[in-house]
Amino acid sequence: MQFVIVTGMSGSGKSCAMNVLEDIGFYCIDNMPPQLLTKFADICRHSNGQLERVAIAVDIRSGEMFSEIFDRWKILRENKDIDVKILYLEANDEIIIKRYKETRRKHPLDDKFGSCLHKAIAFEREQLSTLREVADYYIESSYLSTSQLKEEIKGLFLEKNSDSMIIKVMSFGYKYGVSTEADLVFDVRCLPNPYYIKELRAQTGCDHEVRDYVMSFQQSCQLMDKIKDLLDFLIPLYVHEGKSQLVVCFGCTGGKHRSITFTELISDYLSQKGFRVQKSHRDIGKDISYYRT
């Protein structure tokens, strides 16, 4: 079981790190009291594989309880069933002060030091020094953009960067309305319609007879090739920008034949290229008694 403790200076990007870890499949809990770390680890160990990747943010917000973090970390490391790592995020004083002024948020130690950020930051560094020395991963975020910080975190916890984004490929029928969740929409009503072939009318693009018919036309093959080229160009750009989900939709009149054919074939194509793909046919179970081309 992967058990990542996310800690570091307030204002260094821990919230961003937790968001990225959640997007790539970690079960995330923010601001857990250190005393609960070992208890929660036991829960994870007996979760029947449901909690195999966990990220817990623990920092100075815990107040006096934070002093126990080092001892709890040592206990966790003694458990051979848990691969415990510390991800430590850092930023210099000037950048932290600038970030707090821009967001107008209070530092967790603001009340303790009478709104003096310099004293609060100095005290926090002292409290974190022990964890900083034993951290497995260290990121200095002072001059990183949000997208750059995301890339660094993905690089630490993903085998390949493309795993950070799920691509949902969905078919739909225009007669039922365009999908509102789509990022990219391809209208395939320009292709010959299997609905008007009596033997194919009751079937769908999931059936090879329909798929063979749709792809038997030169224009269908050309459109497929052009869509593949476009996706090959666009997807790495979306991944680089930190997008966690891309929804690619194919629409035909009723959402039964042409759109499903393209959804099936593009899903297979993207899966073979190593992307995480979810496939969905929104209107496959709806009435096919009549619709116009």
Side-chain angles (χ1 to χ4, degrees):
M1 183 183 71
Q2 282 185 278
F3 199 97
V4 180
I5 298 173
V6 180
T7 190
M9 295 294 294
S10 301
S12 62
K14 296 190 299 297
S15 295
C16 177
M18 292 293 284
N19 289 338
V20 174
L21 290 170
E22 186 171 35
D23 286 343
I24 64 178
F26 280 79
Y27 184 90
C28 296
I29 300 179
D30 187 29
N31 196 19
M32 177 180 284
Q35 294 90 332
L36 297 180
L37 284 175
T38 49
K39 295 180 180 179
F40 185 70
D42 286 336
I43 293 174
C44 295
R45 289 173 55 234
H46 296 91
S47 67
N48 296 321
Q50 296 182 59
L51 297 173
E52 291 187 343
R53 307 179 81 198
V54 174
I56 310 293
V58 184
D59 52 47
I60 204 68
R61 288 173 294 172
S62 300
E64 293 182 1
M65 294 184 291
F66 186 70
S67 61
E68 293 194 31
I69 179 63
F70 189 74
D71 290 336
R72 298 291 171 170
W73 167 75
K74 288 195 294 185
I75 293 172
L76 288 172
R77 288 199 62 179
E78 293 173 357
N79 193 320
K80 298 186 182 299
D81 295 331
I82 301 175
D83 179 21
V84 59
K85 303 290 186 184
I86 294 178
L87 169 61
Y88 188 96
L89 287 97
E90 176 72 281
N92 64 47
D93 291 12
E94 292 75 15
I95 294 296
I96 291 175
I97 291 171
K98 180 182 178 182
R99 288 172 180 171
Y100 270 103
K101 287 183 177 180
E102 288 176 347
T103 60
R104 298 186 179 181
R105 296 195 64 195
K106 289 176 60 177
H107 190 280
L109 300 175
D110 189 77
D111 293 336
K112 181 180 180 69
F113 291 98
S115 299
C116 179
L117 263 177
H118 291 281
K119 290 182 180 179
I121 292 170
F123 179 83
E124 186 177 19
R125 286 196 192 283
E126 180 184 349
Q127 296 298 303
L128 288 166
S129 59
T130 305
L131 281 180
R132 186 179 186 276
E133 292 176 2
V134 299
D136 301 279
Y137 308 114
Y138 176 88
I139 297 178
E140 218 291 350
S141 69
S142 296
Y143 302 105
L144 296 178
S145 66
T146 301
S147 61
Q148 289 173 326
L149 177 56
K150 289 179 178 180
E151 288 299 311
E152 289 218 14
I153 295 166
K154 291 173 187 175
L156 293 174
F157 297 100
L158 287 175
E159 291 186 8
K160 55 182 185 295
N161 206 29
S162 60
D163 286 342
S164 64
M165 187 174 73
I166 295 175
I167 303 175
K168 182 177 180 180
V169 187
M170 184 173 72
S171 65
F172 70 93
Y174 275 96
K175 67 176 291 189
Y176 304 110
V178 179
S179 172
T180 57
E181 64 178 304
D183 295 302
L184 300 172
V185 178
F186 297 98
D187 184 349
V188 294
R189 289 176 294 180
C190 56
L191 303 176
N193 193 348
Y195 177 82
Y196 295 104
I197 306 299
K198 184 178 179 180
E199 295 78 15
L200 302 179
R201 182 174 299 177
Q203 297 183 333
T204 73
C206 292
D207 299 301
H208 68 85
E209 293 90 351
V210 172
R211 208 177 302 177
D212 290 345
Y213 174 83
V214 172
M215 299 309 298
S216 66
F217 297 93
Q218 183 179 5
Q219 59 264 43
S220 299
C221 296
Q222 288 177 335
L223 179 58
M224 179 66 72
D225 290 339
K226 291 181 183 297
I227 290 173
K228 288 179 179 179
D229 287 343
L230 180 61
L231 292 176
D232 287 343
F233 173 76
L234 289 177
I235 289 175
L237 300 182
Y238 284 120
V239 171
H240 181 71
E241 285 302 308
K243 192 170 179 62
S244 59
Q245 183 185 59
L246 179 69
V247 182
V248 181
C249 291
F250 293 92
C252 63
T253 308
K256 301 293 188 304
H257 301 107
R258 294 163 291 182
S259 61
I260 290 180
T261 294
F262 271 69
T263 295
E264 289 285 329
L265 294 176
I266 288 295
S267 295
D268 291 344
Y269 174 74
L270 295 176
S271 295
Q272 290 168 6
K273 293 181 75 70
F275 293 105
R276 297 167 64 197
V277 178
Q278 292 179 348
K279 182 171 58 180
S280 173
H281 301 306
R282 192 191 71 177
D283 301 324
I284 192 171
K286 295 179 180 175
D287 180 40
I288 63 170
S289 59
Y290 173 78
Y291 58 86
R292 295 176 299 171
T293 56

